[in-house]
Amino acid sequence: MSTGTEETRIVLDPFVGDLDGESARLRAAGPLAAVELPGGVPVWAVTRHAEAKQLLTDPRLVKDIEVWGAWRRGEIPADWPLIGLANPGRSMLTVDGADHRRMRTLVAQALTPRRVEQMRERIAKLTEGLLNGVEAAEGEVVDLKAEFAYPLPMYVIADLMGIAEDRLPRLKELFEKFFSTQTPPAEVIATLTELAGIMAQTVAAKRAEPGDDLTSALLAASEDGDHLTDEEIVSTLQLMVAAGHETTISLIVNAVVNLSTHPVQRALVLAGEADWSSVIEETLRHSTPTSHVLIRFATEDVPVGDRILPAGDALIVSYAAIGRDEEAHGPTAGAFDITRTSENRHISFGHGPHVCPGAALSRLEAGVALPALYERFPALDLAVPASELRNKPVVTQNDIFELPVRLTPAD
């Protein structure tokens, strides 16, 4: 078996100029591809559905960064632009085994299905208010991302977590830097420090005056005497805010792009001949909001196909490549098709013990926002060709700078 050390690595484009082409090259390299992250950091990528499911449940792959040989050897600088994603602090994202079960259980106690469902009315009201705002621009070109797809998830996650709305403009700036591969090294640590500080202030405020929000619930959650430390709550809060808004923004934006470029399928859903849930699930598969997830580390050599993921090396999960795996989704995997039937459900929210705990909320937001958007503006269409939409320099998110559209209200 090959370890791939002698191979030319696929360099992930930090500007994400052609995500579809890059994903196709990753799949062509096999289920385990040798890649290079921005900053010259060598890792491996799993690129196929079946192998990803296996590796995501393999106990030989852990989240402890101390297992990463390059980290231990001092080869990963503290100001690496992606360090906040590779080493985001102690939360359920970065621990395994008993600690992960403890944190996951306590978070589940706070983020219950009932709490998520209770957000439906608030999401509907926020959606209506935002659509009222963009309606004034009828017939003009509107950046639907800035005016609708971005603020909705941010307001929702702020409500859910109990974050003061006056914090949102600064959080937007900080998360832009947090995810970007182009953040100057001098700003990386400052960005992480300020983000943690805002989350710590939120925790302190909710400890002093609890409310009906997830942060207060996390502070109160316990199981058999276990609890989350303040450090764990701060990291969990930052994780959930980061993932909770970015994923949903991309889901809404990519659904609009897909429906605009597939008018026959848009007509099906608007006529009630296809469900909005089909639009959401096909968007999650075909245009997954999360392109690459960082990082897991091999505690021993792990065979993957005819290759070996060596002990001490890092693995990323390339969901953009996985979602269009023909072995899982058939020869039309590269096509957007809301009528698709497949035995293999996508894994765009993860698989196994680390599956995204906010998946239900993201689906709920899109399930409220998209029907309301198209009920108000059924002829909504892109104001520029889809080929002119520019990706942001974020290797972990399938995200664009702006979404210019023309809005046409219902008769």
Side-chain angles (χ1 to χ4, degrees), residues 248-327:
T248 309
I249 293 167
S250 296
L251 173 54
I252 294 171
V253 165
N254 293 340
V256 170
V257 173
N258 284 330
L259 291 175
S260 298
T261 52
H262 297 81
V264 173
Q265 295 192 52
R266 180 179 62 191
L268 286 177
V269 73
L270 293 184
E273 296 176 28
D275 296 331
W276 281 105
S277 62
S278 298
V279 175
I280 292 167
E281 298 308 317
E282 181 66 351
T283 298
L284 287 167
R285 181 201 68 82
H286 175 270
S287 310
T288 178
T290 304
S291 45
H292 306 283
V293 167
L294 310 180
I295 296 177
R296 296 170 189 264
F297 312 103
T299 57
E300 60 182 84
D301 288 356
V302 179
V304 184
D306 63 352
R307 296 185 177 179
I308 290 177
L309 172 61
D313 276 15
L315 177 79
I316 67 172
V317 184
S318 293
Y319 286 110
I322 291 165
R324 302 191 189 183
D325 179 7
E326 292 187 2
E327 293 181 10

Side-chain angles (χ1 to χ4, degrees), residues 197-227:
I198 291 174
M199 303 307 164
Q201 290 165 15
T202 300
V203 170
K206 294 302 174 182
R207 187 182 295 281
E209 190 174 342
D212 184 19
D213 55 75
L214 190 59
T215 302
S216 299
L218 288 172
L219 286 164
S222 64
E223 180 185 329
D224 299 328
D226 284 337
H227 65 281

Side-chain angles (χ1 to χ4, degrees), residues 106-276:
L106 294 170
V107 169
Q109 287 182 1
L111 187 61
T112 61
R114 181 173 177 270
R115 182 181 292 276
V116 171
E117 183 57 32
Q118 285 175 337
M119 295 294 294
R120 182 181 294 275
E121 184 178 351
R122 175 60 172 154
I123 294 168
K125 287 182 178 179
L126 287 169
T127 296
E128 181 181 11
L130 290 169
L131 291 178
N132 287 341
V134 299
E135 194 168 27
E138 174 189 337
E140 300 177 2
V141 175
V142 175
D143 180 0
L144 194 66
K145 180 182 177 184
E147 300 299 325
F148 181 66
Y150 175 81
L152 176 63
M154 279 302 289
Y155 283 132
V156 169
I157 203 69
D159 269 8
L160 180 67
M161 306 305 295
I163 297 173
E165 284 193 7
D166 61 7
R167 296 281 197 181
L168 296 186
R170 182 55 179 162
L171 282 175
K172 180 180 187 295
E173 296 172 357
L174 292 171
F175 277 117
E176 291 277 350
K177 294 179 181 180
F178 177 82
F179 283 105
S180 177
T181 59
Q182 302 306 303
T183 300
E187 297 181 21
V188 170
I189 295 176
T191 297
L192 296 175
T193 300
E194 188 174 350
L195 273 172
I198 291 174
M199 303 307 164
Q201 290 165 15
T202 300
V203 170
K206 294 302 174 182
R207 187 182 295 281
E209 190 174 342
D212 184 19
D213 55 75
L214 190 59
T215 302
S216 299
L218 288 172
L219 286 164
S222 64
E223 180 185 329
D224 299 328
D226 284 337
H227 65 281
L228 294 170
T229 67
D230 279 8
E231 176 193 0
E232 291 168 347
I233 294 175
V234 166
S235 295
T236 297
L237 182 57
Q238 180 169 312
L239 162 67
M240 297 190 75
V241 173
H245 80 279
E246 281 289 339
T247 298
T248 309
I249 293 167
S250 296
L251 173 54
I252 294 171
V253 165
N254 293 340
V256 170
V257 173
N258 284 330
L259 291 175
S260 298
T261 52
H262 297 81
V264 173
Q265 295 192 52
R266 180 179 62 191
L268 286 177
V269 73
L270 293 184
E273 296 176 28
D275 296 331
W276 281 105

Side-chain angles (χ1 to χ4, degrees), residues 38-42 65 68 70-84 86-87 185 188-189 192:
V41 175
I65 197 170
W68 193 7
W71 175 264
R72 294 197 313 270
R73 294 188 296 270
E75 297 168 6
I76 310 299
D79 57 3
W80 180 42
L82 298 178
I83 194 63
N87 188 31
V188 170
I189 295 176
L192 296 175

Side-chain angles (χ1 to χ4, degrees), residues 46-92:
V46 58
T47 67
R48 306 279 180 84
H49 182 95
E51 287 80 4
K53 289 180 71 174
Q54 292 172 359
L55 292 174
L56 285 167
T57 55
D58 192 320
R60 295 172 293 181
L61 291 167
V62 300
K63 302 294 290 184
D64 182 0
I65 197 170
E66 296 300 328
V67 173
W68 193 7
W71 175 264
R72 294 197 313 270
R73 294 188 296 270
E75 297 168 6
I76 310 299
D79 57 3
W80 180 42
L82 298 178
I83 194 63
L85 294 162
N87 188 31
R90 184 176 173 80
S91 73
M92 60 184 176

